[in-house]
């Protein structure tokens, strides 16, 4: 399957692999477009929609039986595409809500929240998804599905779900007209407990982010 036949009309739109690939391709294209910065005012709600739709594909992969690749060893997909420009553009567009706090594993007791960046998370997800897309476009459909399923469990599923929670929280703060705490001065290589997060957090009123992010609070 070449690039030209990724969405060929003779493909069955009801086929599981085609549907998953289409959802992933849609996410990759959409986030890349957001990162160009042409419409920064709508970035947050648009990313909320795209990540939500991607999580549907992830849920379907997670609920599917284990996918076994055709070959014992993964074929070399070639060099990974650079995502630094996308990461930097997203960080600029999403400032000041790029950094958020995350509990890495909700089933590990007494784990302190750690700072994370939406821009880092999205590009991390993009890297995983692109890796599988290379296999898919080369006609290695089973290999692509195996990789997407495996990496959903091991990385991009939890990363995307944390990002979704952060984006949903931003929208909720604005729509409910509630103050939003900014993790001002935090660095993502720090492991911080609740008290540190609270002491470091600066106050950013909803009215300061609603306009630039294309959101409007409920009156």
């Amino acid at each position: 399957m070449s690039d030209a036949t990724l969405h060929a009309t003779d493909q069955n739109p009801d086929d599981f692999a085609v549907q998953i690939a289409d959802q992933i391709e849609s996410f990759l294209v959409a986030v890349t477009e957001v990162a160009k910065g042409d419409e920064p005012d709508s970035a947050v709600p648009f990313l909320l929609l795209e990540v939500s739709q991607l999580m549907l594909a992830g849920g379907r992969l997670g609920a599917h039986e284990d996918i076994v690749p055709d070959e014992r060893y993964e074929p070399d997909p070639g060099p990974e595409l650079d995502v630094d420009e996308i990461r930097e553009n997203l960080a600029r567009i999403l400032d000041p809500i790029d950094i958020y706090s995350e509990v890495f594993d909700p089933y590990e007791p007494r784990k302190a929240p750690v700072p994370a960046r939406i821009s880092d998370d999205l590009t991390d997800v993009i890297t995983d998804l692109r890796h599988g897309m290379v296999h898919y476009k080369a006609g290695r459909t089973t290999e692509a599905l195996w990789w997407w399923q495996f990496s959903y469990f091991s990385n991009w599923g939890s990363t995307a779900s944390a990002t979704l929670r952060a984006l949903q929280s931003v929208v909720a703060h604005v729509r409910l007209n509630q103050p939003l705490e900014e993790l001002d001065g935090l660095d993502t290589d720090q492991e911080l407990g609740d008290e540190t997060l609270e002491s470091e957090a600066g106050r950013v009123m909803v009215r300061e982010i609603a306009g630039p992010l294309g959101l409007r609070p409920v009156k």
Side-chain angles (χ1 to χ4, degrees):
M1 182 182 302
S2 66
D3 292 0
T5 60
L6 177 58
H7 302 289
T9 56
D10 59 347
Q11 290 182 257
N12 183 356
D14 295 326
D15 184 79
F16 177 78
V18 173
Q19 292 178 351
I20 295 297
D22 281 349
Q23 287 181 294
I24 289 175
E25 179 79 354
S26 175
F27 174 84
L28 293 173
V29 171
V31 177
T32 301
E33 287 299 312
V34 170
K36 292 179 180 179
D38 294 336
E39 297 183 15
D41 289 351
S42 60
V44 169
F46 195 67
L47 288 173
L48 175 65
L49 175 62
E50 291 301 323
V51 178
S52 297
Q53 293 176 333
L54 177 66
M55 290 308 299
L56 173 59
R60 295 182 66 191
L61 286 164
H64 198 281
E65 62 184 5
D66 287 347
I67 298 168
V68 180
D70 296 328
E71 302 178 32
R72 182 177 180 181
Y73 299 103
E74 179 187 10
D76 184 6
E80 301 285 357
L81 295 176
D82 183 41
V83 294
D84 286 344
E85 183 178 359
I86 294 177
R87 178 186 293 107
E88 292 168 3
N89 288 345
L90 287 173
R92 184 181 66 256
I93 293 168
L94 296 173
D95 183 66
I97 52 89
D98 192 25
I99 294 182
Y100 68 99
S101 59
E102 175 195 4
V103 177
F104 184 72
D105 189 337
Y107 284 99
E108 290 189 19
R110 294 179 296 280
K111 282 290 185 179
V114 296
R117 289 183 181 272
I118 296 175
S119 55
D120 287 343
D121 289 349
L122 288 174
T123 47
D124 193 21
V125 171
I126 286 174
T127 298
D128 274 348
L129 298 181
R130 279 180 172 177
H131 186 97
M133 187 59 71
V134 171
H135 290 306
Y136 186 79
K137 291 182 177 181
R140 299 186 291 267
T141 302
T142 304
E143 186 72 36
L145 289 174
W146 171 82
W147 172 258
W148 285 328
Q149 186 186 60
F150 167 76
S151 56
Y152 169 76
F153 288 126
S154 63
N155 185 50
W156 74 261
S158 58
T159 302
S161 62
T163 306
L164 178 62
R165 180 71 182 91
L167 292 167
Q168 189 273 339
S169 180
V170 172
V171 174
H173 274 287
V174 173
R175 295 293 173 84
L176 298 177
N177 200 16
Q178 296 175 342
L180 181 68
E181 290 186 343
E182 179 188 17
L183 302 183
D184 189 24
L186 294 186
D187 195 349
T188 52
D189 62 1
Q190 295 174 275
E191 292 189 7
L192 304 171
D194 291 335
E195 293 183 2
T196 307
L197 285 171
E198 182 178 356
S199 64
E200 293 281 353
R203 300 291 291 177
V204 175
M205 297 302 293
V206 172
R207 64 176 179 271
E208 295 177 355
I209 68 169
L213 295 181
L215 302 171
R216 295 294 180 271
V218 176
K219 296 181 179 180

